[in-house]
Amino acid sequence: MSSPRISGRCTPPSPKSLLSPAVRNYPWGSRTAIPALLGQQPDGEPQAELWFGAHRAAPSLLPDRPGSPDLAAAITADPVRELGEASLAAHGPELPFLLKLLAAERALSLQVHPTRRQAQNGHDREEAAGVPLDAPHRAFKDRNPKPELLCALEPFEALCGFREPARTAELLDALAVPELRRWSAVLRSRPAREALSRTLRAALCARERLVHTVSAALPRLTASPGPWSNAGAAYTAVAEDYPGDPGILAALLLNHVRLDAGEALYLGAGVPHAYLRGAGVEIMANSDNVLRCGLTDKHVDITQLADIVDCVPMGPAIMRPTPTGLAGESQFCSPTEEFVLSRLETGTGAVSVTDFGPQVLLCLVGHVRLTPGPPLSRGAAAFVPAGSPCEVTGAGAVLYRARVPLRAAP
């Protein structure tokens, strides 16, 4: 895939700029993984995520621009120059994606994200009801969907999507907890959607005594040489992370997923999921819309969740990158309008990455130079405005390239 020829612009693009990421010190974060990836010494704090983007909660700074503005402010000041006409027409005056480094030492909350229509309707409904944006029970903080893709940088574990109901009934039987027999009967006898919906609600409404009983039984799965040993170890770790949380029971309905380095997991609307352990590059649509299903001390709205979660059994959408035609580049072909993520391994020659839309380039191995533009060392990132001519040089480096899937502006 050759780089596009940019034409028809009324103003020259802004210069490429280094991004100073926002550090998110969430309790589930690893204290060592991100510093190890970046070749830094740990500071003792859990570094859960580094954000490279213009998310309103924590936009990246642009330290080499006059006054060191943040990226969101720069886009607001001149959206056409930063984003380009095509991205502006498709997604409005904001960067439609957020690129992250993520490192989990314990499980994240079990959650789902809405479709675009669900997000629009939910946001408008909460706005009309006067629910403050920062209210703990506010679910729809914007009108955008929130698809996600995570590319593993090391072995990575997650829960993703509902398992086939009959298989989950087998898992519950293996736990030998009498109170779960009714759940197993429903999972075997009812249509899949009804069975999963009823069992999910039962799990989230379960009494704490049942949660503790099931948690105590989980190590039996790990100790047995049967088909549930790996999943049993994962569920046991979740129970240790969140003792007494009913999300532990909901987690039993989901597929346990292990990614090798270089594999990616795509998470579309309505798919329940939780990251468990590992480090990766994550890209998501620029949205805050999250409905939680447990493994959290935040608000869980079971009624609203029932309208969003997709109670269809499905295998996890594990992806491997495919070549793009650009030398050294392979791409994860997700079905989203907001982003595309690719991995670029540089050779001895220069590679042009000029694009119609805005881009973020994150270097994780070696050193590269952007021509014209700044050099990038390990852990450094740059924002490349739409249409800005850009060549990458530096043999043996690895970059992750986040961009918007666009055609030429009309």
Side-chain angles (χ1 to χ4, degrees):
M1 180 177 67
S2 60
S3 297
R5 180 174 60 86
I6 308 299
S7 61
R9 297 188 57 86
C10 299
T11 58
S14 294
K16 288 166 282 298
S17 303
L18 289 173
L19 287 177
S20 179
V23 181
R24 311 300 277 176
N25 300 113
Y26 303 133
W28 50 261
S30 169
R31 289 168 171 77
T32 58
I34 287 179
L37 285 170
L38 305 185
Q40 301 171 352
Q41 288 296 317
D43 63 5
E45 292 293 319
Q47 292 191 19
E49 297 177 343
L50 300 187
W51 288 15
F52 300 91
H55 193 285
R56 63 187 175 203
S60 300
L61 298 179
L62 302 172
D64 55 355
R65 291 200 191 183
S68 298
D70 65 58
L71 182 55
I75 290 171
T76 298
D78 197 341
V80 174
R81 196 176 185 205
E82 304 291 353
L83 302 176
E85 296 168 357
S87 182
L88 197 59
H91 301 290
E94 65 178 13
L95 187 66
F97 62 79
L98 173 63
L99 185 68
K100 301 179 181 180
L101 271 180
L102 179 148
E105 193 169 89
R106 55 187 291 223
L108 282 67
S109 63
L110 191 60
Q111 58 190 263
V112 295
H113 307 302
T115 64
R116 183 177 298 280
R117 177 169 290 185
Q118 289 168 341
Q120 292 171 345
N121 292 341
H123 179 268
D124 294 348
R125 184 172 60 250
E126 290 183 330
E127 284 289 286
V131 182
L133 274 177
D134 59 354
H137 62 286
R138 176 86 187 227
F140 301 95
K141 298 186 178 182
D142 52 66
R143 304 179 83 244
N144 298 327
K146 194 187 175 189
E148 301 176 356
L149 184 145
L150 182 130
C151 173
L153 296 173
E154 62 184 26
F156 194 96
E157 288 190 84
L159 303 175
C160 176
F162 287 110
R163 190 187 298 106
E164 287 289 341
R167 286 286 291 155
T168 296
E170 293 174 12
L171 182 151
L172 299 184
D173 290 346
L175 288 170
V177 175
E179 292 91 334
L180 298 182
R181 290 172 186 163
R182 289 179 297 171
W183 297 14
S184 295
V186 169
L187 290 167
R188 287 192 170 97
S189 63
R190 301 288 183 175
R193 279 184 182 273
E194 179 188 350
L196 291 170
S197 177
R198 288 179 58 173
T199 309
L200 177 62
R201 179 176 285 273
L204 296 180
C205 295
R207 294 183 178 180
E208 190 171 342
R209 182 182 61 81
L210 177 58
V211 177
H212 286 301
T213 300
V214 172
S215 298
L218 286 170
R220 288 205 293 268
L221 297 180
T222 308
S224 302
W228 303 111
S229 58
N230 289 335
Y235 296 134
T236 299
V238 168
E240 292 170 352
D241 290 342
Y242 297 94
D245 192 305
I248 296 165
L249 303 182
L252 299 177
L253 305 178
L254 306 186
N255 298 292
H256 172 235
V257 184
R258 281 184 166 179
L259 301 177
D260 292 327
E263 293 182 325
L265 183 64
Y266 175 72
L267 300 161
V271 178
H273 61 278
Y275 299 145
L276 303 181
R277 303 286 189 276
V281 174
E282 184 187 30
I283 188 168
M284 53 175 255
N286 200 352
S287 171
D288 277 329
N289 291 326
V290 177
L291 287 96
R292 291 176 174 84
C293 320
L295 309 183
T296 181
D297 57 2
K298 296 183 179 179
H299 181 68
V300 176
D301 187 327
I302 297 175
T303 301
Q304 196 155 226
L305 176 67
D307 294 332
I308 301 300
V309 67
D310 191 359
C311 290
V312 174
M314 64 180 70
I318 297 176
M319 297 180 172
R320 295 169 180 83
T322 56
T324 65
L326 191 68
E329 186 181 52
S330 55
Q331 176 178 300
F332 296 98
C333 297
S334 57
T336 63
E337 301 174 354
E338 293 82 8
F339 61 76
V340 62
L341 181 70
S342 58
R343 182 181 187 274
L344 178 61
E345 192 165 344
T346 59
T348 55
V351 179
S352 173
V353 294
T354 306
D355 198 79
F356 295 116
Q359 304 179 75
V360 172
L361 303 178
L362 171 62
C363 180
L364 286 185
V365 176
H367 300 75
V368 296
R369 174 166 288 280
L370 307 184
T371 307
L376 297 181
S377 57
R378 181 179 175 188
F383 175 71
V384 183
S388 180
C390 187
E391 286 190 340
V392 177
T393 55
V398 175
L399 294 173
Y400 285 84
R401 181 185 178 208
R403 59 189 182 86
V404 187
L406 294 170
R407 298 178 181 178

